[in-house]
Amino acid sequence: MSSFSTSSPSPAGRYVGRFAPSPTGPLHAGSLVAALASYLDARANGGVWLIRIEDIDEGRAVPGAAETILEQLDWLGMHSDGEIVWQSRRKDLYQAARERIAGHVYGCGCNRREIADSRLGVGPDGAAIYPGTCRHGLAPGREARSLRLRVPEAGEDLVAFRDRFAGWQEQRLALESGDFVLKRADGYWAYQLAVVVDDAQQGVTDVVRGADLLDSTPRQIYLQRLLGVPTPRYLHVPVVRNAQGEKLSKQTGALAVLPATQDNREEAAVAALQQAAGYLGLQCAAPASAITSLSAFWQQAVPAWAKLLAERGAALAV
Ligand code: GLU
């Protein structure tokens, strides 16, 4: 799998969505919301829904977590319409993409400390803004540690897009991100490159994910333009926070959604889905107490999602 094809494998116009969890732990109340939103949007639009395991950061991947996530999705009734893709097995594609944009990529010898010391501050995602130290070549005696993508000069660096939920978004890449990493110092391909290559190669037309990734989207759109691949539509759903206002994650102690016993498997699945549907603001036609099976849940939730989109002016013209 060494050539990186830009042709969409899906029939023209067909919706292709995906859920792309990083296997750092089981699905919890927060990640389930992103999974549910992407699944509902695909179903409400008569589309295809794919699962991709984003295990490109092999240092962070927790052994067994991907399998647990796949079991959880199966238990909840969310099945991939295609083969499940694993990023760790697609490194040739990332390499081929990097070669395609070679003129925009350079070796960087800086370490974290040096970048932080430049005091340009941090971008919206909390990462230090790169000052461009190695942009025109490595200083004598320095060796490349990572690969970076050169972004346009200030003034030509604006990337804008309309998010279906969050509305109009703008980011100045030079000021708010700086040249960003495509291959990390530890040898792993960066998320930004892998996600763009995979979405394009899988023919994804619609990305539905958590709003914590809203700030990454302009970098991804810029990469899509350089690679000459289509930009999907984006819908970022609000991030679920705990009582302290922290994003729910394994680090903030979010509990996995799992069936408590073999006997209550379906009941527990419906309860977990109803909670996630509540975070999304879904209003099912039937009262929650009347929804006791998975099939009843999905029958109710798909039109409720379509209604919510229509009310927000976020429905697709497909
Ligand atoms: N793998 C990312 C995560 O689990 C999601 C990436 C994406 O949806 O683009 O946060």
Side-chain angles (χ1 to χ4, degrees), residues 175-207:
L175 296 177
E176 298 180 56
S177 151
D179 298 344
F180 57 92
V181 171
L182 295 188
K183 193 171 195 183
R184 304 168 5 165
D186 57 13
Y188 296 126
W189 292 102
Y191 158 70
Q192 308 291 2
L193 179 72
V195 77
V196 165
V197 169
D198 288 337
D199 284 339
Q201 199 272 337
Q202 294 188 281
V204 169
T205 60
D206 288 84
V207 171

PDB file of all heavy atoms in Angstrom, residues 175-207:
ATOM      1  N   LEU A 175       0.507  32.927  12.376  1.00  0.00           N
ATOM      2  CA  LEU A 175       0.463  33.535  13.702  1.00  0.00           C
ATOM      3  C   LEU A 175      -0.006  32.583  14.783  1.00  0.00           C
ATOM      4  O   LEU A 175       0.435  32.649  15.924  1.00  0.00           O
ATOM      5  CB  LEU A 175      -0.496  34.745  13.692  1.00  0.00           C
ATOM      6  CG  LEU A 175      -0.095  35.905  12.795  1.00  0.00           C
ATOM      7  CD1 LEU A 175      -1.162  36.980  12.818  1.00  0.00           C
ATOM      8  CD2 LEU A 175       1.242  36.470  13.274  1.00  0.00           C
ATOM      9  N   GLU A 176      -0.940  31.685  14.432  1.00  0.00           N
ATOM     10  CA  GLU A 176      -1.581  30.870  15.469  1.00  0.00           C
ATOM     11  C   GLU A 176      -1.044  29.446  15.550  1.00  0.00           C
ATOM     12  O   GLU A 176      -1.413  28.706  16.447  1.00  0.00           O
ATOM     13  CB  GLU A 176      -3.098  30.845  15.237  1.00  0.00           C
ATOM     14  CG  GLU A 176      -3.713  32.235  15.344  1.00  0.00           C
ATOM     15  CD  GLU A 176      -5.212  32.211  15.120  1.00  0.00           C
ATOM     16  OE1 GLU A 176      -5.899  31.465  15.836  1.00  0.00           O
ATOM     17  OE2 GLU A 176      -5.689  32.933  14.227  1.00  0.00           O
ATOM     18  N   SER A 177      -0.228  29.045  14.598  1.00  0.00           N
ATOM     19  CA  SER A 177       0.316  27.688  14.652  1.00  0.00           C
ATOM     20  C   SER A 177       1.808  27.711  14.344  1.00  0.00           C
ATOM     21  O   SER A 177       2.629  27.171  15.087  1.00  0.00           O
ATOM     22  CB  SER A 177      -0.429  26.806  13.632  1.00  0.00           C
ATOM     23  OG  SER A 177       0.374  25.772  13.159  1.00  0.00           O
ATOM     24  N   GLY A 178       2.171  28.398  13.277  1.00  0.00           N
ATOM     25  CA  GLY A 178       3.551  28.324  12.803  1.00  0.00           C
ATOM     26  C   GLY A 178       3.722  27.014  12.038  1.00  0.00           C
ATOM     27  O   GLY A 178       2.783  26.225  11.903  1.00  0.00           O
ATOM     28  N   ASP A 179       4.939  26.802  11.536  1.00  0.00           N
ATOM     29  CA  ASP A 179       5.211  25.573  10.780  1.00  0.00           C
ATOM     30  C   ASP A 179       4.961  24.378  11.699  1.00  0.00           C
ATOM     31  O   ASP A 179       5.495  24.337  12.809  1.00  0.00           O
ATOM     32  CB  ASP A 179       6.661  25.583  10.300  1.00  0.00           C
ATOM     33  CG  ASP A 179       6.933  26.753   9.356  1.00  0.00           C
ATOM     34  OD1 ASP A 179       5.970  27.354   8.852  1.00  0.00           O
ATOM     35  OD2 ASP A 179       8.128  27.064   9.144  1.00  0.00           O
ATOM     36  N   PHE A 180       4.175  23.444  11.269  1.00  0.00           N
ATOM     37  CA  PHE A 180       3.803  22.362  12.197  1.00  0.00           C
ATOM     38  C   PHE A 180       4.427  21.022  11.824  1.00  0.00           C
ATOM     39  O   PHE A 180       4.856  20.804  10.689  1.00  0.00           O
ATOM     40  CB  PHE A 180       2.292  22.270  12.411  1.00  0.00           C
ATOM     41  CG  PHE A 180       1.473  22.079  11.161  1.00  0.00           C
ATOM     42  CD1 PHE A 180       1.140  20.811  10.719  1.00  0.00           C
ATOM     43  CD2 PHE A 180       1.011  23.165  10.444  1.00  0.00           C
ATOM     44  CE1 PHE A 180       0.366  20.623   9.586  1.00  0.00           C
ATOM     45  CE2 PHE A 180       0.247  23.001   9.306  1.00  0.00           C
ATOM     46  CZ  PHE A 180      -0.080  21.723   8.863  1.00  0.00           C
ATOM     47  N   VAL A 181       4.448  20.151  12.825  1.00  0.00           N
ATOM     48  CA  VAL A 181       5.179  18.885  12.701  1.00  0.00           C
ATOM     49  C   VAL A 181       4.379  17.874  11.880  1.00  0.00           C
ATOM     50  O   VAL A 181       3.188  17.675  12.116  1.00  0.00           O
ATOM     51  CB  VAL A 181       5.471  18.316  14.117  1.00  0.00           C
ATOM     52  CG1 VAL A 181       6.035  16.901  14.045  1.00  0.00           C
ATOM     53  CG2 VAL A 181       6.434  19.230  14.862  1.00  0.00           C
ATOM     54  N   LEU A 182       5.060  17.231  10.922  1.00  0.00           N
ATOM     55  CA  LEU A 182       4.457  16.128  10.165  1.00  0.00           C
ATOM     56  C   LEU A 182       5.004  14.787  10.630  1.00  0.00           C
ATOM     57  O   LEU A 182       4.317  13.772  10.585  1.00  0.00           O
ATOM     58  CB  LEU A 182       4.741  16.274   8.670  1.00  0.00           C
ATOM     59  CG  LEU A 182       4.143  17.468   7.948  1.00  0.00           C
ATOM     60  CD1 LEU A 182       4.361  17.333   6.457  1.00  0.00           C
ATOM     61  CD2 LEU A 182       2.654  17.618   8.231  1.00  0.00           C
ATOM     62  N   LYS A 183       6.279  14.803  11.016  1.00  0.00           N
ATOM     63  CA  LYS A 183       6.862  13.571  11.573  1.00  0.00           C
ATOM     64  C   LYS A 183       7.585  13.967  12.841  1.00  0.00           C
ATOM     65  O   LYS A 183       8.394  14.905  12.847  1.00  0.00           O
ATOM     66  CB  LYS A 183       7.818  12.932  10.570  1.00  0.00           C
ATOM     67  CG  LYS A 183       8.203  11.519  10.968  1.00  0.00           C
ATOM     68  CD  LYS A 183       8.962  10.807   9.886  1.00  0.00           C
ATOM     69  CE  LYS A 183       9.003   9.315  10.185  1.00  0.00           C
ATOM     70  NZ  LYS A 183       9.809   8.606   9.187  1.00  0.00           N
ATOM     71  N   ARG A 184       7.293  13.254  13.912  1.00  0.00           N
ATOM     72  CA  ARG A 184       7.750  13.677  15.230  1.00  0.00           C
ATOM     73  C   ARG A 184       9.174  13.219  15.525  1.00  0.00           C
ATOM     74  O   ARG A 184       9.700  12.326  14.874  1.00  0.00           O
ATOM     75  CB  ARG A 184       6.785  13.134  16.289  1.00  0.00           C
ATOM     76  CG  ARG A 184       5.382  13.580  15.992  1.00  0.00           C
ATOM     77  CD  ARG A 184       4.317  12.893  16.777  1.00  0.00           C
ATOM     78  NE  ARG A 184       4.765  11.975  17.786  1.00  0.00           N
ATOM     79  CZ  ARG A 184       3.984  11.511  18.751  1.00  0.00           C
ATOM     80  NH1 ARG A 184       2.724  11.920  18.817  1.00  0.00           N
ATOM     81  NH2 ARG A 184       4.433  10.654  19.618  1.00  0.00           N
ATOM     82  N   ALA A 185       9.752  13.814  16.551  1.00  0.00           N
ATOM     83  CA  ALA A 185      11.119  13.460  16.922  1.00  0.00           C
ATOM     84  C   ALA A 185      11.221  11.988  17.347  1.00  0.00           C
ATOM     85  O   ALA A 185      12.280  11.381  17.226  1.00  0.00           O
ATOM     86  CB  ALA A 185      11.590  14.385  18.047  1.00  0.00           C
ATOM     87  N   ASP A 186      10.122  11.402  17.805  1.00  0.00           N
ATOM     88  CA  ASP A 186      10.173   9.988  18.207  1.00  0.00           C
ATOM     89  C   ASP A 186       9.942   9.048  17.005  1.00  0.00           C
ATOM     90  O   ASP A 186       9.848   7.837  17.162  1.00  0.00           O
ATOM     91  CB  ASP A 186       9.159   9.694  19.329  1.00  0.00           C
ATOM     92  CG  ASP A 186       7.722  10.043  18.940  1.00  0.00           C
ATOM     93  OD1 ASP A 186       7.470  10.274  17.739  1.00  0.00           O
ATOM     94  OD2 ASP A 186       6.866  10.088  19.840  1.00  0.00           O
ATOM     95  N   GLY A 187       9.853   9.631  15.813  1.00  0.00           N
ATOM     96  CA  GLY A 187       9.770   8.798  14.610  1.00  0.00           C
ATOM     97  C   GLY A 187       8.348   8.512  14.140  1.00  0.00           C
ATOM     98  O   GLY A 187       8.157   7.965  13.057  1.00  0.00           O
ATOM     99  N   TYR A 188       7.338   8.867  14.933  1.00  0.00           N
ATOM    100  CA  TYR A 188       5.952   8.606  14.515  1.00  0.00           C
ATOM    101  C   TYR A 188       5.429   9.737  13.625  1.00  0.00           C
ATOM    102  O   TYR A 188       5.761  10.903  13.853  1.00  0.00           O
ATOM    103  CB  TYR A 188       5.029   8.462  15.733  1.00  0.00           C
ATOM    104  CG  TYR A 188       5.370   7.279  16.590  1.00  0.00           C
ATOM    105  CD1 TYR A 188       5.617   7.418  17.949  1.00  0.00           C
ATOM    106  CD2 TYR A 188       5.450   6.000  16.030  1.00  0.00           C
ATOM    107  CE1 TYR A 188       5.936   6.321  18.734  1.00  0.00           C
ATOM    108  CE2 TYR A 188       5.773   4.901  16.810  1.00  0.00           C
ATOM    109  CZ  TYR A 188       6.019   5.071  18.156  1.00  0.00           C
ATOM    110  OH  TYR A 188       6.338   4.003  18.921  1.00  0.00           O
ATOM    111  N   TRP A 189       4.596   9.371  12.656  1.00  0.00           N
ATOM    112  CA  TRP A 189       3.930  10.393  11.861  1.00  0.00           C
ATOM    113  C   TRP A 189       2.963  11.147  12.765  1.00  0.00           C
ATOM    114  O   TRP A 189       2.355  10.561  13.663  1.00  0.00           O
ATOM    115  CB  TRP A 189       3.168   9.746  10.694  1.00  0.00           C
ATOM    116  CG  TRP A 189       4.098   9.158   9.698  1.00  0.00           C
ATOM    117  CD1 TRP A 189       4.405   7.834   9.556  1.00  0.00           C
ATOM    118  CD2 TRP A 189       4.891   9.859   8.733  1.00  0.00           C
ATOM    119  NE1 TRP A 189       5.329   7.672   8.556  1.00  0.00           N
ATOM    120  CE2 TRP A 189       5.647   8.895   8.030  1.00  0.00           C
ATOM    121  CE3 TRP A 189       5.038  11.201   8.386  1.00  0.00           C
ATOM    122  CZ2 TRP A 189       6.528   9.235   7.013  1.00  0.00           C
ATOM    123  CZ3 TRP A 189       5.912  11.545   7.371  1.00  0.00           C
ATOM    124  CH2 TRP A 189       6.647  10.582   6.692  1.00  0.00           C
ATOM    125  N   ALA A 190       2.806  12.447  12.489  1.00  0.00           N
ATOM    126  CA  ALA A 190       1.931  13.265  13.340  1.00  0.00           C
ATOM    127  C   ALA A 190       0.468  13.028  12.965  1.00  0.00           C
ATOM    128  O   ALA A 190       0.140  12.739  11.813  1.00  0.00           O
ATOM    129  CB  ALA A 190       2.284  14.739  13.166  1.00  0.00           C
ATOM    130  N   TYR A 191      -0.384  13.210  13.950  1.00  0.00           N
ATOM    131  CA  TYR A 191      -1.836  13.098  13.756  1.00  0.00           C
ATOM    132  C   TYR A 191      -2.313  13.913  12.554  1.00  0.00           C
ATOM    133  O   TYR A 191      -3.098  13.432  11.729  1.00  0.00           O
ATOM    134  CB  TYR A 191      -2.542  13.545  15.053  1.00  0.00           C
ATOM    135  CG  TYR A 191      -3.971  13.988  14.845  1.00  0.00           C
ATOM    136  CD1 TYR A 191      -4.960  13.067  14.519  1.00  0.00           C
ATOM    137  CD2 TYR A 191      -4.321  15.336  14.952  1.00  0.00           C
ATOM    138  CE1 TYR A 191      -6.270  13.478  14.302  1.00  0.00           C
ATOM    139  CE2 TYR A 191      -5.617  15.750  14.742  1.00  0.00           C
ATOM    140  CZ  TYR A 191      -6.591  14.822  14.415  1.00  0.00           C
ATOM    141  OH  TYR A 191      -7.872  15.238  14.195  1.00  0.00           O
ATOM    142  N   GLN A 192      -1.850  15.175  12.433  1.00  0.00           N
ATOM    143  CA  GLN A 192      -2.374  16.067  11.379  1.00  0.00           C
ATOM    144  C   GLN A 192      -2.185  15.455   9.995  1.00  0.00           C
ATOM    145  O   GLN A 192      -3.065  15.555   9.141  1.00  0.00           O
ATOM    146  CB  GLN A 192      -1.681  17.444  11.422  1.00  0.00           C
ATOM    147  CG  GLN A 192      -1.688  18.134  12.772  1.00  0.00           C
ATOM    148  CD  GLN A 192      -3.065  18.603  13.234  1.00  0.00           C
ATOM    149  OE1 GLN A 192      -4.069  18.391  12.567  1.00  0.00           O
ATOM    150  NE2 GLN A 192      -3.127  19.188  14.412  1.00  0.00           N
ATOM    151  N   LEU A 193      -1.047  14.857   9.747  1.00  0.00           N
ATOM    152  CA  LEU A 193      -0.800  14.268   8.427  1.00  0.00           C
ATOM    153  C   LEU A 193      -1.619  12.989   8.263  1.00  0.00           C
ATOM    154  O   LEU A 193      -2.295  12.796   7.248  1.00  0.00           O
ATOM    155  CB  LEU A 193       0.691  13.959   8.232  1.00  0.00           C
ATOM    156  CG  LEU A 193       0.990  13.326   6.858  1.00  0.00           C
ATOM    157  CD1 LEU A 193       0.850  14.365   5.749  1.00  0.00           C
ATOM    158  CD2 LEU A 193       2.367  12.691   6.812  1.00  0.00           C
ATOM    159  N   ALA A 194      -1.571  12.121   9.267  1.00  0.00           N
ATOM    160  CA  ALA A 194      -2.239  10.816   9.150  1.00  0.00           C
ATOM    161  C   ALA A 194      -3.741  10.997   8.924  1.00  0.00           C
ATOM    162  O   ALA A 194      -4.347  10.332   8.078  1.00  0.00           O
ATOM    163  CB  ALA A 194      -1.971   9.982  10.403  1.00  0.00           C
ATOM    164  N   VAL A 195      -4.353  11.928   9.655  1.00  0.00           N
ATOM    165  CA  VAL A 195      -5.806  12.089   9.558  1.00  0.00           C
ATOM    166  C   VAL A 195      -6.206  12.602   8.169  1.00  0.00           C
ATOM    167  O   VAL A 195      -7.207  12.163   7.593  1.00  0.00           O
ATOM    168  CB  VAL A 195      -6.311  12.988  10.719  1.00  0.00           C
ATOM    169  CG1 VAL A 195      -6.012  14.454  10.464  1.00  0.00           C
ATOM    170  CG2 VAL A 195      -7.778  12.828  10.968  1.00  0.00           C
ATOM    171  N   VAL A 196      -5.411  13.502   7.620  1.00  0.00           N
ATOM    172  CA  VAL A 196      -5.718  14.060   6.295  1.00  0.00           C
ATOM    173  C   VAL A 196      -5.557  12.982   5.217  1.00  0.00           C
ATOM    174  O   VAL A 196      -6.404  12.826   4.339  1.00  0.00           O
ATOM    175  CB  VAL A 196      -4.804  15.279   6.015  1.00  0.00           C
ATOM    176  CG1 VAL A 196      -4.820  15.664   4.543  1.00  0.00           C
ATOM    177  CG2 VAL A 196      -5.248  16.450   6.883  1.00  0.00           C
ATOM    178  N   VAL A 197      -4.477  12.233   5.303  1.00  0.00           N
ATOM    179  CA  VAL A 197      -4.234  11.171   4.319  1.00  0.00           C
ATOM    180  C   VAL A 197      -5.350  10.128   4.397  1.00  0.00           C
ATOM    181  O   VAL A 197      -5.903   9.708   3.376  1.00  0.00           O
ATOM    182  CB  VAL A 197      -2.849  10.525   4.568  1.00  0.00           C
ATOM    183  CG1 VAL A 197      -2.681   9.251   3.755  1.00  0.00           C
ATOM    184  CG2 VAL A 197      -1.749  11.526   4.239  1.00  0.00           C
ATOM    185  N   ASP A 198      -5.698   9.729   5.606  1.00  0.00           N
ATOM    186  CA  ASP A 198      -6.720   8.676   5.757  1.00  0.00           C
ATOM    187  C   ASP A 198      -8.099   9.152   5.317  1.00  0.00           C
ATOM    188  O   ASP A 198      -8.824   8.422   4.645  1.00  0.00           O
ATOM    189  CB  ASP A 198      -6.771   8.200   7.210  1.00  0.00           C
ATOM    190  CG  ASP A 198      -5.556   7.390   7.565  1.00  0.00           C
ATOM    191  OD1 ASP A 198      -4.922   6.835   6.646  1.00  0.00           O
ATOM    192  OD2 ASP A 198      -5.232   7.310   8.754  1.00  0.00           O
ATOM    193  N   ASP A 199      -8.480  10.359   5.726  1.00  0.00           N
ATOM    194  CA  ASP A 199      -9.799  10.847   5.316  1.00  0.00           C
ATOM    195  C   ASP A 199      -9.877  10.889   3.794  1.00  0.00           C
ATOM    196  O   ASP A 199     -10.888  10.507   3.200  1.00  0.00           O
ATOM    197  CB  ASP A 199     -10.085  12.237   5.922  1.00  0.00           C
ATOM    198  CG  ASP A 199     -10.452  12.163   7.403  1.00  0.00           C
ATOM    199  OD1 ASP A 199     -10.875  11.078   7.863  1.00  0.00           O
ATOM    200  OD2 ASP A 199     -10.316  13.188   8.106  1.00  0.00           O
ATOM    201  N   ALA A 200      -8.806  11.346   3.140  1.00  0.00           N
ATOM    202  CA  ALA A 200      -8.814  11.430   1.672  1.00  0.00           C
ATOM    203  C   ALA A 200      -8.826  10.026   1.063  1.00  0.00           C
ATOM    204  O   ALA A 200      -9.617   9.739   0.159  1.00  0.00           O
ATOM    205  CB  ALA A 200      -7.592  12.212   1.192  1.00  0.00           C
ATOM    206  N   GLN A 201      -7.982   9.165   1.571  1.00  0.00           N
ATOM    207  CA  GLN A 201      -7.858   7.833   0.963  1.00  0.00           C
ATOM    208  C   GLN A 201      -9.138   7.019   1.163  1.00  0.00           C
ATOM    209  O   GLN A 201      -9.502   6.211   0.318  1.00  0.00           O
ATOM    210  CB  GLN A 201      -6.630   7.143   1.578  1.00  0.00           C
ATOM    211  CG  GLN A 201      -6.098   5.982   0.772  1.00  0.00           C
ATOM    212  CD  GLN A 201      -6.791   4.686   1.157  1.00  0.00           C
ATOM    213  OE1 GLN A 201      -7.328   4.584   2.268  1.00  0.00           O
ATOM    214  NE2 GLN A 201      -6.772   3.719   0.248  1.00  0.00           N
ATOM    215  N   GLN A 202      -9.858   7.281   2.254  1.00  0.00           N
ATOM    216  CA  GLN A 202     -11.095   6.547   2.520  1.00  0.00           C
ATOM    217  C   GLN A 202     -12.315   7.238   1.892  1.00  0.00           C
ATOM    218  O   GLN A 202     -13.432   6.780   2.062  1.00  0.00           O
ATOM    219  CB  GLN A 202     -11.305   6.392   4.025  1.00  0.00           C
ATOM    220  CG  GLN A 202     -10.239   5.508   4.693  1.00  0.00           C
ATOM    221  CD  GLN A 202     -10.608   5.223   6.138  1.00  0.00           C
ATOM    222  OE1 GLN A 202     -10.407   6.067   7.018  1.00  0.00           O
ATOM    223  NE2 GLN A 202     -11.167   4.050   6.390  1.00  0.00           N
ATOM    224  N   GLY A 203     -12.089   8.349   1.212  1.00  0.00           N
ATOM    225  CA  GLY A 203     -13.189   9.039   0.542  1.00  0.00           C
ATOM    226  C   GLY A 203     -14.163   9.668   1.525  1.00  0.00           C
ATOM    227  O   GLY A 203     -15.358   9.808   1.219  1.00  0.00           O
ATOM    228  N   VAL A 204     -13.666  10.074   2.702  1.00  0.00           N
ATOM    229  CA  VAL A 204     -14.556  10.653   3.728  1.00  0.00           C
ATOM    230  C   VAL A 204     -15.075  12.011   3.239  1.00  0.00           C
ATOM    231  O   VAL A 204     -14.297  12.880   2.859  1.00  0.00           O
ATOM    232  CB  VAL A 204     -13.798  10.788   5.076  1.00  0.00           C
ATOM    233  CG1 VAL A 204     -14.586  11.626   6.074  1.00  0.00           C
ATOM    234  CG2 VAL A 204     -13.498   9.401   5.640  1.00  0.00           C
ATOM    235  N   THR A 205     -16.378  12.156   3.240  1.00  0.00           N
ATOM    236  CA  THR A 205     -16.987  13.430   2.820  1.00  0.00           C
ATOM    237  C   THR A 205     -17.376  14.278   4.029  1.00  0.00           C
ATOM    238  O   THR A 205     -17.565  15.480   3.897  1.00  0.00           O
ATOM    239  CB  THR A 205     -18.271  13.186   2.001  1.00  0.00           C
ATOM    240  OG1 THR A 205     -19.209  12.467   2.837  1.00  0.00           O
ATOM    241  CG2 THR A 205     -17.996  12.393   0.736  1.00  0.00           C
ATOM    242  N   ASP A 206     -17.529  13.630   5.196  1.00  0.00           N
ATOM    243  CA  ASP A 206     -18.042  14.327   6.372  1.00  0.00           C
ATOM    244  C   ASP A 206     -17.310  13.905   7.630  1.00  0.00           C
ATOM    245  O   ASP A 206     -17.342  12.726   8.004  1.00  0.00           O
ATOM    246  CB  ASP A 206     -19.543  14.076   6.539  1.00  0.00           C
ATOM    247  CG  ASP A 206     -20.319  14.829   5.468  1.00  0.00           C
ATOM    248  OD1 ASP A 206     -20.444  14.299   4.348  1.00  0.00           O
ATOM    249  OD2 ASP A 206     -20.744  15.971   5.746  1.00  0.00           O
ATOM    250  N   VAL A 207     -16.685  14.886   8.274  1.00  0.00           N
ATOM    251  CA  VAL A 207     -16.000  14.630   9.533  1.00  0.00           C
ATOM    252  C   VAL A 207     -16.889  15.176  10.644  1.00  0.00           C
ATOM    253  O   VAL A 207     -17.209  16.367  10.657  1.00  0.00           O
ATOM    254  CB  VAL A 207     -14.616  15.311   9.552  1.00  0.00           C
ATOM    255  CG1 VAL A 207     -13.989  15.237  10.937  1.00  0.00           C
ATOM    256  CG2 VAL A 207     -13.703  14.682   8.503  1.00  0.00           C
TER     257      VAL A 207
END
